[in-house]
């Protein structure tokens, strides 16, 4: 019959492609959501989670075309499970009034050969109150300092030791490199903690740049780094507002990002599934920014978010992240 001939290829696609595809997808995303906090290679899949989500949407559409209830239900279940990491991120509350403090974080990329003037022009345009930099070279730090935009900056020792540099319009009361116990042979990175003066009141700022988890020992050390920073933040949170910024080398959808926020008691300035890429492949940037969202700004629950956005390209393989915040009055 004509109907059978028309449905023949569709039935074949259902049995050979769609049904096996949605079952495999459901199984794969379930494994990641349940086991990413225990297995290195599984956690690495969270770097590509938006693309995993896009694959789930494609499978749902394919299942709808087949009109088979089983495939549709399985595809929707897989997509729902893939959405759990995005829905589980504590996010900052929106501010009803204008912003009172602007924070910018950027990884300058140690191999960056661009003129720092491009980045300084960005600072002049955005006028952030606090700038948190990672992979900071001496020439870039000196150029930003010479611009006269920021009367206060973190020490050269922090930059030389951790490649972290902070520039601020707020006075810096104290600067501390957190001391944590190392369990990995090659580990050396430490978070940087600053106490800023906010109109006579303290404001704690943490600059982060843990290891990139390309190897197993780096993954373990990154997780230990975040746990140690979360413990320190939790103690400061009892005394004053806290802002944490930097290149976390941890995507939003990783259980270690969510675990840090919950352990520290902070909220993310970015939430949801479709977040703009902040670290991208320079080999593919001619076509699109292909990468992950690993540069973050997190705040204490009493800090409200007016706006969070990703800034323009300035020569690095990271894009700057900018958050406009409203701080508590008391």
């Amino acid at each position: 019959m004509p109907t059978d001939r028309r449905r023949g290829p569709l039935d074949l696609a259902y049995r050979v492609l769609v049904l096996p595809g949605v079952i495999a997808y459901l199984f794969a995303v379930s494994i990641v959501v349940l086991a990413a906090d225990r297995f290195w290679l599984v956690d690495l899949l969270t770097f590509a989670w938006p693309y995993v989500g896009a694959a789930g949407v494609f499978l749902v559409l394919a299942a709808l075309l087949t009109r088979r209830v089983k495939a549709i239900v399985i595809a929707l279940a897989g997509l729902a499970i893939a959405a759990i990491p995005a829905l589980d991120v504590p996010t900052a509350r929106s501010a009803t009034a204008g912003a009172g403090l602007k924070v910018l974080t950027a990884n300058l990329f140690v191999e960056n050969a661009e003129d720092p003037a491009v980045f300084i022009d960005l600072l002049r345009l955005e006028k952030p109150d606090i700038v948190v930099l990672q992979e900071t070279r001496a020439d870039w730090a000196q150029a930003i300092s010479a611009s006269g935009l920021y009367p206060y900056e973190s020490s050269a020792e922090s930059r030389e030791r951790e490649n972290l540099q902070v520039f601020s319009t707020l006075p810096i009361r104290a600067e501390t490199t957190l001391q944590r116990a190392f369990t990995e042979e090659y580990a050396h990175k430490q978070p940087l903690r600053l106490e800023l003066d906010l109109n006579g009141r303290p404001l704690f700022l943490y600059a982060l740049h843990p290891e990139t988890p390309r190897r197993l020992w780096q993954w373990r050390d990154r997780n230990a780094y975040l746990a140690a920073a979360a413990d320190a933040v939790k103690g400061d949170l009892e005394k004053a507002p806290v802002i944490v910024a930097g290149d976390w080398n941890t995507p939003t959808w990783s259980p270690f990002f969510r675990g840090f926020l919950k352990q520290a008691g902070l909220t993310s300035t970015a939430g949801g599934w479709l977040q703009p890429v902040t670290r991208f492949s320079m080999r593919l940037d001619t076509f699109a920014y292909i990468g992950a969202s690993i540069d973050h700004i997190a705040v204490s629950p009493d800090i409200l978010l007016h706006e969070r956005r990703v800034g323009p390209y300035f020569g690095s393989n990271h894009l700057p992240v900018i958050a406009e915040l409203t701080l508590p009055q008391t």
Side-chain angles (χ1 to χ4, degrees):
M1 296 175 62
T3 303
D4 292 337
R5 284 197 299 269
R6 285 197 301 267
R7 289 195 57 84
L10 196 60
D11 288 341
L12 181 63
Y14 167 75
R15 293 194 304 270
V16 176
L17 296 175
V18 177
L19 184 59
V22 296
I23 292 174
Y25 184 83
L26 175 62
F27 178 77
V29 296
S30 299
I31 290 295
V32 174
V33 170
L34 293 173
D37 60 339
R38 294 189 292 273
F39 299 102
W40 166 49
L41 294 178
V42 176
D43 184 43
L44 290 186
L45 293 175
T46 62
F47 280 82
W49 211 239
Y51 308 106
V52 172
V57 172
F58 174 80
L59 286 171
V60 169
L61 294 176
L64 289 172
L65 287 176
T66 68
R67 299 181 182 180
R68 298 299 182 93
V69 174
K70 180 188 293 186
I72 294 171
V73 170
I74 296 174
L76 288 173
L79 191 60
I81 292 173
I84 290 175
L87 298 175
D88 194 36
V89 176
T91 54
R93 294 176 294 158
S94 299
T96 55
L101 188 76
K102 183 184 285 190
V103 180
L104 182 150
T105 181
N107 185 317
L108 301 182
F109 182 40
V110 291
E111 298 179 12
N112 184 5
E114 296 287 333
D115 187 344
V118 177
F119 186 72
I120 294 172
D121 287 343
L122 173 64
L123 297 180
R124 288 198 174 100
L125 177 66
E126 291 289 347
K127 297 181 175 60
D129 301 285
I130 299 171
V131 179
V132 181
L133 303 178
Q134 308 86 50
E135 299 198 42
T136 315
R137 293 193 326 203
D139 55 341
W140 279 62
Q142 291 164 5
I144 297 171
S145 182
S147 70
L149 294 172
Y150 297 97
Y152 307 100
E153 60 185 84
S154 58
S155 66
E157 289 78 9
S158 296
R159 174 178 51 76
E160 293 169 357
R161 182 176 55 249
E162 304 294 338
N163 291 327
L164 293 169
Q165 185 88 33
V166 173
F167 292 90
S168 174
T169 60
L170 306 179
I172 298 176
R173 289 181 177 180
E175 174 184 331
T176 308
T177 300
L178 295 183
Q179 300 301 314
R180 64 184 179 96
F182 294 120
T183 57
E184 305 300 323
E185 181 180 357
Y186 301 106
H188 64 89
K189 291 191 171 187
Q190 303 278 25
L192 178 64
R193 172 187 178 274
L194 301 176
E195 181 181 344
L196 307 180
D197 189 318
L198 182 65
N199 299 321
R201 298 178 289 122
L203 170 66
F204 293 107
L205 173 71
Y206 283 78
L208 303 187
H209 188 209
E211 289 284 355
T212 179
R214 290 191 180 96
R215 300 178 181 177
L216 179 59
W217 77 264
Q218 292 174 310
W219 178 73
R220 289 195 297 250
D221 188 64
R222 182 205 65 177
N223 302 338
Y225 179 110
L226 292 175
D231 284 340
V233 168
K234 187 175 182 180
D236 283 335
L237 198 59
E238 300 175 357
K239 298 175 282 187
V242 177
I243 298 173
V244 180
D247 171 5
W248 300 37
N249 274 314
T250 309
T252 310
W253 310 278
S254 169
F256 295 99
F257 180 75
R258 305 193 303 276
F260 173 92
L261 294 177
K262 294 174 182 178
Q263 182 181 346
L266 299 184
T267 60
S268 172
T269 56
W273 205 346
L274 297 178
Q275 295 184 24
V277 167
T278 65
R279 199 284 189 191
F280 59 92
S281 169
M282 299 187 81
R283 296 179 180 178
L284 302 174
D285 63 348
T286 303
F287 307 99
Y289 288 134
I290 305 298
S293 180
I294 63 173
D295 302 86
H296 306 293
I297 299 174
V299 297
S300 50
D302 54 354
I303 297 178
L304 306 182
L305 176 65
H306 179 68
E307 183 182 11
R308 187 263 192 191
R309 63 186 184 277
V310 173
Y313 174 78
F314 63 89
S316 173
N317 62 353
H318 288 250
L319 300 174
V321 174
I322 304 162
E324 298 183 31
L325 310 170
T326 298
L327 274 74
Q329 297 301 310
T330 58

